[in-house]
Amino acid sequence: KESLPYFHRRNHKSESEVPASSQNSATDDSQGEKSGDSSKFEAFSSLHLSNRILPHSFLSRTLEDKKALRIPDLLRTVKAPDFELPEDIDTDYVVFGIVASKSEPRQIKQPANATKKEVDPFDDGTNNTNQYMVITLTDLKWTIDLFLFDTAFPRYYRISEGILIAILNPTIMPPPKNKTDTNRFSLAISSSDDKILEVGYAQDIGFCKAVRKDGKTCHSWVDGRKTEFCDFHVDLQVRRTQAGRMGVN
């Protein structure tokens, strides 16, 4: 038997009740496995992998009763002012995205009148209430932020950049009240339950190789199929080249 992590099911809908798009994704992936190397293409996300962590058969079984969503699906359907999924998504849903970048651990700001908590000498950090992290997810075109709060932080903060992950039922966080018109909502998980699966290493994500003024590599994510440098450093080089030509003239 496989001893791999699995998602907890939120409900017990029959297979006949699964949204057609999820069933089609699994079917397409199965067909891809017959026609080519399924370890290199992940049909639920439409992304290629350089190294698969979870077998295709396991992932298909795990997602057979769930709605698979890509980042563009969320951006297209979740809108102000409600910032909620459409009513036709009434089952467990799973969001796919590549870990493009991670913030440093951040401290949650406590209200000025909050009572200071006593330090528990037996707390190993798994009962976290003080720190969180922001992970930027991408499909190599669009991005969305995923916040790790509470017990999700100590469990998942070690996830590596460049890995394609699947997130079960993340909470949709509206943008701050003063930025509602931007429509820039985020995702969040706050539990150490089985909420994230590491599917495999994305083949086409790269990281900018330009060197910054401080001598460190930029490391901003890029679409490795198109470039080795981020937009900022490409523009910077263009401006330098143009300035050099003007100086010669």
Side-chain angles (χ1 to χ4, degrees):
K1 295 182 179 180
E2 294 172 332
S3 58
L4 293 167
Y6 59 91
F7 284 145
H8 292 298
R9 295 176 61 180
R10 185 175 62 189
N11 51 29
H12 301 281
K13 291 183 177 291
S14 66
E15 186 172 349
S16 63
E17 295 176 286
V18 180
S21 59
S22 292
Q23 291 180 334
N24 291 342
S25 294
T27 302
D28 293 344
D29 208 359
S30 299
Q31 293 174 347
E33 185 175 19
K34 294 177 182 178
S35 61
D37 184 359
S38 67
S39 66
K40 298 297 184 182
F41 182 72
E42 199 295 293
F44 288 105
S45 63
S46 294
L47 294 168
H48 290 84
L49 303 174
S50 60
N51 182 28
R52 180 180 283 276
I53 297 174
L54 294 182
H56 160 72
S57 57
F58 170 81
L59 195 61
S60 294
R61 285 199 308 273
T62 303
L63 301 183
E64 65 182 355
D65 59 348
K66 298 171 179 63
K67 172 71 172 178
L69 296 173
R70 302 160 186 165
I71 293 175
D73 297 329
L74 289 175
L75 299 180
R76 183 175 60 252
T77 58
V78 178
K79 300 293 184 182
D82 297 327
F83 293 102
E84 295 178 352
L85 288 171
E87 293 182 358
D88 60 341
I89 301 180
D90 58 354
T91 183
D92 287 318
Y93 64 96
V94 179
V95 177
F96 283 82
I98 302 168
V99 178
S101 64
K102 304 191 305 180
S103 72
E104 293 296 323
R106 299 176 180 177
Q107 292 294 125
I108 295 176
K109 294 181 180 179
Q110 301 295 339
N113 58 351
T115 304
K116 188 175 182 181
K117 295 181 179 179
E118 293 184 6
V119 177
D120 183 355
F122 300 103
D123 184 9
D124 59 0
T126 57
N127 297 318
N128 167 69
T129 57
N130 298 319
Q131 291 183 299
Y132 72 99
M133 175 178 282
V134 185
I135 293 176
T136 298
L137 302 175
T138 185
D139 67 343
L140 298 178
K141 181 177 181 180
W142 305 100
T143 62
I144 192 169
D145 287 337
L146 170 68
F147 285 73
L148 304 181
F149 292 120
D150 298 337
T151 56
F153 170 76
R155 174 158 186 189
Y156 295 116
Y157 78 95
R158 294 186 181 90
I159 288 177
S160 299
E161 293 176 345
I163 285 185
L164 173 66
I165 62 174
I167 310 119
L168 175 66
N169 298 328
T171 300
I172 297 176
M173 292 201 320
K177 291 182 179 180
N178 61 338
K179 297 182 179 179
T180 303
D181 57 341
T182 67
N183 209 46
R184 287 184 61 84
F185 62 90
S186 304
L187 306 177
I189 57 173
S190 303
S191 171
S192 60
D193 291 340
D194 294 325
K195 301 285 286 185
I196 294 180
L197 293 180
E198 298 181 27
V199 179
Y201 289 87
Q203 174 177 290
D204 297 318
I205 191 168
F207 298 93
C208 180
K209 297 181 179 180
V211 179
R212 303 183 312 200
K213 290 182 178 180
D214 61 5
K216 297 180 180 179
T217 304
C218 171
H219 203 66
S220 296
W221 77 270
V222 298
D223 185 341
R225 298 167 298 183
K226 300 177 180 179
T227 182
E228 294 183 344
F229 302 98
C230 68
D231 290 343
F232 172 80
H233 282 105
V234 170
D235 292 342
L236 182 62
Q237 185 58 43
V238 169
R239 290 198 299 270
R240 286 175 176 172
T241 301
Q242 291 174 340
R245 289 175 179 172
M246 291 177 64
V248 171
N249 294 336

